[in-house]
Amino acid sequence: MSADRLSAALERIAPSRTTAMTDRAIALRAEGRDIISLSVGEPDFATPPHVVAAAKAALDAGDTKYTAVGGTARLKTAAALHFARDLGIVAPPSQITVSAGGKQAIFHALLATLDPGDEVLIPSPWWVSYPEIVRFAGAVVFALPTDAAGGFRITAAELEAAITPNTRWLLLNSPGNPTGATYPADELRALGEVLLRHPRVLVMSDDIYAPLRYGAGAHATLAVECPALADRVLTISGVSKSHAMTGFRIGVATGPEWLIAAMERLQSHSSGNACSISQAAAAAAFEGPQDFLRDWRERFRARRDMVVSAINAIPGLSTPVPDGAFYCMVDAAPLMARFGDDETLALHLLDHGVAVVSASSFGGRNGFRISFAADEARLAEALRRIEKAVS
């Protein structure tokens, strides 16, 4: 079968450029090259022992059969505990669904609600899959550009100016990938005031990095700060980033019952239930001790400070201090006269043994994203290589 038999929907999207860079780094390592990957958003810490033990116990108990499409009762109850404890959202199990990773929940929510011609507002730089999922659904991506000077956050005035009669969704990611930007409560309330005037607009609040914040105070999320919007806010979370469980592929989401039911209706035909063993592990992750996160946050904070200090000391490069997650968005605009574009710069850094992802992969420009979810020694060596590569 030739490529001309591919669907129009598939032709509208491009492969993930973050995974493409990671795959390229893996291939170069297989050829014997010493490549330090700062391209993947994956904690390098081991999955907590009590989570691994729960997965083993589930296997020993024979929990290897189908579950309910939207997740086991135990995991939905554990997810409700997580949403209440960590995000301040009180939701019954009927308003919670379990998917094979947060990405699947996002995919199902958008495919279940978008029609051709609908518009989706996405602040940029954005996570690479947001616009591609929107395009796959046949809807229109409307970028809301942000920059370091504005904290990589949109304002209420910018949101108001962007909404049209065709606007169907606003996608918010806090803390954000690729910038690490976090929306404070007062700014979320200001956005909420705008959204109240536009009842057709749904909001996706992707809070997958909420446990990895470095500022004082509790995490702020739209469903809590603007309760009048709760019937049209979908909040995404999971265990991949907070509990180093990327391979388990478990995401959880909470929102209005009509939307949760629609997502599960689609999931019943796309994948059925998420892995039963992974669900048992995720339940243990939410139910079990969370104190290890304090150490992880401090380790990430130290790595963040190392990266920010080193990057800002390199002529031609700069980066703000991210509030959360484990990414730095590096501005390399002064180097573009030399390299032409940030894709060329990213390939140049790869030639020097460091894999990063260009800013243009995220809807940005003239820079690259660093993931500091890497061992401190390797991170320090990668920073030395970057300095040498651009000097």
Side-chain angles (χ1 to χ4, degrees):
M1 181 177 290
S2 61
D4 62 0
R5 300 297 298 273
L6 297 176
S7 71
L10 187 66
E11 291 291 347
R12 288 195 292 266
I13 68 173
S16 168
R17 289 161 77 176
T18 55
T19 56
M21 181 58 82
T22 300
D23 290 348
R24 186 163 185 168
I26 291 171
L28 289 173
R29 282 200 203 99
E31 296 173 5
R33 295 279 304 278
D34 177 22
I35 303 294
I36 301 174
S37 179
L38 305 183
S39 61
V40 64
E42 180 175 59
D44 63 314
F45 304 130
T47 304
H50 68 279
V51 175
V52 175
K56 292 178 179 178
L59 282 167
D60 291 339
D63 290 342
T64 57
K65 308 299 183 183
Y66 289 130
T67 76
V69 168
T72 64
R74 179 190 172 193
L75 180 50
K76 285 196 172 191
T77 300
L81 169 66
H82 157 66
F83 280 119
R85 177 188 62 214
D86 302 323
L87 281 75
I89 299 174
V90 178
S94 62
Q95 290 181 230
I96 293 172
T97 191
V98 177
S99 55
K103 185 182 294 189
Q104 187 184 42
I106 296 168
F107 215 110
H108 287 162
L110 295 179
L111 262 66
T113 56
L114 289 174
D115 289 314
D118 284 342
E119 296 173 355
V120 178
L121 308 180
I122 316 177
S124 64
W126 48 45
W127 176 53
V128 292
S129 292
Y130 290 147
E132 304 304 335
I133 296 171
V134 170
R135 293 178 183 121
F136 185 83
V140 178
V141 174
F142 193 105
L144 299 175
T146 67
D147 56 29
F152 290 116
R153 300 189 299 270
I154 61 168
T155 67
E158 290 167 338
L159 175 61
E160 183 75 73
I163 293 176
T164 76
N166 294 324
T167 302
R168 185 60 169 153
W169 280 93
L170 166 67
L171 305 190
L172 291 177
N173 182 201
S174 174
N177 175 8
T179 65
T182 301
Y183 282 85
D186 60 334
E187 293 185 22
L188 288 175
R189 289 193 292 270
L191 295 177
E193 288 297 319
V194 173
L195 292 163
L196 284 172
R197 296 193 287 272
H198 300 278
R200 185 176 184 269
V201 181
L202 301 169
V203 187
M204 185 177 296
S205 181
D206 185 349
D207 292 28
I208 192 76
Y209 294 98
L212 299 176
R213 292 175 58 258
Y214 309 114
H219 173 70
T221 191
L222 190 66
V224 173
E225 298 303 326
C226 304
L229 293 173
D231 64 346
R232 49 190 169 111
V233 175
L234 179 71
T235 305
I236 306 292
S237 190
V239 291
S240 292
K241 313 300 183 177
S242 59
H243 290 71
M245 294 173 63
T246 51
F248 284 81
R249 306 312 305 134
I250 292 292
V252 294
T254 184
E257 287 193 20
W258 69 267
L259 181 55
I260 296 299
M263 293 164 64
E264 292 185 356
R265 177 177 170 187
L266 185 54
Q267 185 165 310
S268 71
H269 294 292
S270 65
S271 66
N273 63 271
C275 171
S276 58
I277 305 304
S278 295
Q279 289 192 64
F286 288 142
E287 296 165 348
Q290 309 294 310
D291 53 329
F292 67 91
L293 276 169
R294 287 194 297 269
D295 175 63
W296 285 16
R297 277 192 295 266
E298 289 310 306
R299 292 278 299 277
F300 279 135
R301 186 198 304 273
R303 294 173 181 182
R304 176 200 68 175
D305 294 345
M306 175 199 303
V307 171
V308 169
S309 177
I311 289 296
N312 286 330
I314 299 173
L317 300 182
S318 63
T319 183
V321 180
D323 299 321
F326 35 68
Y327 308 107
C328 283
M329 179 56 79
V330 178
D331 177 33
L335 300 181
M336 290 303 101
R338 174 180 166 193
F339 290 99
D341 57 49
D342 56 18
E343 284 288 337
T344 303
L345 174 58
L347 292 174
H348 176 75
L349 294 178
L350 186 61
D351 286 340
H352 284 74
V354 183
V356 299
V357 186
S358 66
S360 57
S361 300
F362 305 100
R365 59 195 297 267
N366 298 342
F368 55 90
R369 187 196 75 175
I370 284 178
S371 167
F372 51 84
D375 172 80
E376 287 84 349
R378 294 290 278 170
L379 194 57
E381 173 60 21
L383 291 166
R384 285 192 290 270
R385 294 181 185 183
I386 291 172
E387 179 179 20
K388 182 179 179 181
V390 302
S391 295

